[in-house]
Amino acid sequence: METGATRLDEAALLAHAGWLRALAASLVADPATADDLVQETWVAALEHPPRADVRMEPWLARVMRNFAFKRRRGELRRALHEGASAESTERPTPDQTVEKLDLQSKVVDAVRATSEPFRTTIVLRYFEGRSSADIARLQGIPAGTVRWRLKRGLDELRERLDERFHGSRETWLGLLAPIAAR
């Protein structure tokens, strides 16, 4: 037990059970997960009780919120990891590979057809991964101008791609998503 910590017993914790369960239910959707949060909070309180000068209710609430946050963060990381793992195990067919290359070629052609200075700004941002500030320094212009060029260039690019894919935005958006993620 920490120096200056209060000694807690189970009866003192059970006095907070009702509102702790309600708080847990408001933080997570699954009732079983809410019960787990309550139990984790009680264990933390018994193993590392708050100092004697700390009010118990706010302390318990903060501990529970921290457990809920850690749980959500872990679930998100796990989902991202599993998604990346699932993507890497899928093997495209030769036809899918050719189709993807054809679509990528059409996107590159649309970028080539975009007027300057928008084309260069789009290439620097999305193909080379430079930030707006980097592009501004490189081109000797304000960062606001870079952002304006990106907006105008992307608007022009969207129009070209919509025309090329006959309004089927989902087709070409799927190709640009990995580029934009970089």
Side-chain angles (χ1 to χ4, degrees):
M1 190 181 312
E2 299 169 10
T3 309
T6 58
R7 174 90 175 117
L8 296 177
D9 62 8
E10 292 81 14
L13 285 178
L14 288 175
H16 301 287
W19 71 265
L20 268 176
R21 280 197 176 94
L23 176 60
S26 73
L27 294 173
V28 294
D30 179 39
T33 303
D35 288 342
D36 290 345
L37 284 177
V38 172
Q39 289 176 10
E40 290 171 359
T41 303
W42 283 346
V43 168
L46 289 171
E47 290 179 351
H48 307 285
R51 294 187 323 264
D53 62 336
V54 174
R55 289 188 40 229
M56 183 61 94
E57 292 84 4
W59 186 86
L60 288 170
R62 171 57 33 213
V63 168
M64 180 175 285
R65 284 188 188 97
N66 286 343
F67 279 126
F69 175 75
K70 284 164 108 177
R71 191 175 282 262
R72 261 193 307 272
R73 187 177 58 205
E75 289 170 357
L76 178 62
R77 285 181 179 162
R78 186 171 33 261
L80 289 172
H81 178 72
E82 288 171 358
S85 175
E87 287 175 9
S88 66
T89 60
E90 295 176 10
R91 293 185 183 190
T93 65
D95 289 340
Q96 289 172 326
T97 301
V98 169
E99 181 182 354
K100 187 174 182 177
L101 287 171
D102 287 344
L103 291 172
Q104 288 174 344
S105 176
K106 289 177 183 177
V107 170
V108 169
D109 289 344
V111 171
R112 272 193 193 110
T114 303
S115 59
E116 279 299 338
F118 310 120
R119 175 181 50 238
T120 299
T121 306
I122 288 171
V123 169
L124 289 171
R125 176 68 183 102
Y126 295 104
F127 289 83
E128 293 185 15
R130 295 177 184 254
S131 69
S132 294
D134 288 341
I135 297 168
R137 277 191 298 278
L138 183 67
Q139 295 183 334
I141 58 174
T145 302
V146 172
R147 289 189 295 272
W148 173 80
R149 287 179 180 178
L150 284 171
K151 187 212 177 300
R152 289 284 308 272
L154 290 173
D155 289 344
E156 186 179 330
L157 185 58
R158 278 186 204 103
E159 287 176 24
R160 289 183 187 286
L161 291 170
D162 281 343
E163 286 173 18
R164 180 161 285 176
F165 291 101
H166 309 290
S168 178
R169 189 166 283 191
E170 293 79 26
T171 303
W172 61 264
L173 273 176
L175 290 173
L176 294 181
I179 295 170
R182 280 189 256 148

